[in-house]
Amino acid sequence: MRLDKFLCELNIGSRSQVKEYIRKGLVTVNSLPAIKPEQKIDANKDRIALRGEALFYKRFVYYMLNKPAGVVSATRDNTCKTVLDLITLAQKKELFPVGRLDKDTEGLLLITNDGELAHAMLSPKRHVNKTYLVGIEKPLLPGQAEALEQGVDIGEDRRTLPARVEILSDSQITLTIREGKFHQVKRMLQAVDNRVLTLKRLSFGPLSLDEKLPAGAYRELTEQEVALLYEYRK
Ligand code: URA
């Protein structure tokens, strides 16, 4: 297979961009700079790298991002930095975030190119658990944790589905919800006359935020985590 065709199939860039990378010496084949775009390679045997980053063909990829506050959960935006801007991989053209976190929300965001998995994880029928660490303006009053757990009126047709609350301190709780309505956590706290000051997602379905990931950093899911996701969506 031609080297430029291989690189295009990996979505590294357009044919002309790929040729430019080769011309600039950014592509190596078995650690030696590629010679020309039409150079023949064996995709199964040769080790191809772009700027030193090994490239390989995987149909689906899965990354855990620790989203920082201040970036939007989109693939592109005219004014704001997006979560995809944080991904520095060469092979990122088809990636997208699974669902949305508000601009000021931090924490676990799954990034993938697997549309079917994303669809399954976001389906309202599936009731995927999401746990948030919530900084609140004032302590919950007696009965309010129970109210949040049983369901509150956030202005939709129905009350929120049963949730789980753990009170960590006067100013911090965890809230586990099974839906993903717009601004849901903020609206739930508003419904009990409180206010969210900080919000961080700690888990999404079977995935837990890797504590070693600093805000803004990401890593590929481990094989075990991918297996958990596949099991979960069955
Ligand atoms: N609930 C919110 O209010 N915001 C988020 O980003 C996620 C859940």
Side-chain angles (χ1 to χ4, degrees):
M1 177 187 224
R2 280 174 61 131
L3 176 60
D4 55 354
K5 182 160 187 282
F6 172 77
L7 295 173
C8 283
E9 284 190 4
L10 292 183
N11 283 315
I12 301 303
S14 64
R15 199 67 169 235
S16 57
Q17 279 171 324
V18 154
K19 284 186 175 157
E20 185 71 3
Y21 295 152
I22 296 171
R23 208 182 47 73
K24 285 187 174 159
L26 300 177
V27 179
T28 53
V29 179
N30 300 324
S31 307
L32 296 173
I35 304 160
K36 51 187 181 177
E38 56 276 26
Q39 180 174 344
K40 288 279 188 288
I41 55 123
D42 181 337
N44 293 317
K45 283 201 201 131
D46 291 325
R47 283 176 292 113
I48 319 292
L50 175 66
R51 295 188 188 91
E53 184 188 317
L55 303 174
F56 40 86
Y57 186 76
K58 265 191 194 173
R59 179 67 193 96
F60 295 122
V61 290
Y62 308 91
Y63 295 92
M64 171 187 295
L65 169 72
N66 184 359
K67 178 190 172 299
V71 300
V72 294
S73 302
T75 49
R76 59 172 65 175
D77 190 279
N78 287 336
T79 48
C80 297
K81 192 168 176 176
T82 73
V83 288
L84 259 291
D85 291 332
L86 299 171
I87 308 285
T88 57
L89 298 165
Q91 289 163 275
K92 68 177 223 182
K93 204 170 140 210
E94 294 182 331
L95 297 182
F96 58 87
V98 179
R100 279 167 187 274
L101 292 176
D102 296 339
K103 188 173 173 187
D104 55 354
T105 300
E106 302 176 14
L108 174 50
L109 191 62
L110 177 62
I111 309 274
T112 184
N113 57 350
D114 185 345
E116 251 178 61
L117 179 109
H119 187 72
M121 297 298 288
L122 296 174
S123 162
K125 287 192 209 118
R126 196 164 291 261
H127 300 313
V128 170
N129 278 334
K130 287 149 287 233
T131 299
Y132 294 88
L133 181 64
V134 193
I136 49 178
E137 191 178 41
K138 50 195 174 185
L140 291 182
L141 297 175
Q144 288 185 333
E146 292 75 11
L148 288 168
E149 288 195 331
Q150 280 158 25
V152 285
D153 181 358
I154 58 168
E156 302 268 334
D157 294 344
R158 294 183 189 180
R159 284 174 178 268
T160 52
L161 289 178
R164 219 168 42 239
V165 175
E166 200 184 335
I167 298 176
L168 304 178
S169 70
D170 279 355
S171 58
Q172 211 172 41
I173 62 170
T174 64
L175 177 59
T176 302
I177 57 174
R178 306 158 59 200
E179 313 160 270
K181 299 227 157 62
F182 184 62
H183 293 332
Q184 176 153 347
V185 174
K186 291 173 185 163
R187 288 158 73 198
M188 286 176 76
L189 269 297
Q190 251 169 30
V192 292
D193 191 32
N194 208 317
R195 202 160 70 89
V196 170
L197 300 183
T198 57
L199 192 55
K200 179 173 182 178
R201 184 153 70 185
L202 301 180
S203 74
F204 179 57
L207 302 178
S208 295
L209 180 65
D210 184 338
E211 286 170 9
K212 293 195 287 295
L213 268 187
Y218 61 92
R219 67 155 171 81
E220 202 166 356
L221 293 193
T222 62
E223 276 178 27
Q224 199 186 1
E225 286 167 331
V226 174
L228 284 173
L229 269 184
Y230 283 2
E231 189 58 32
Y232 196 86
R233 77 155 166 197
K234 270 186 192 160

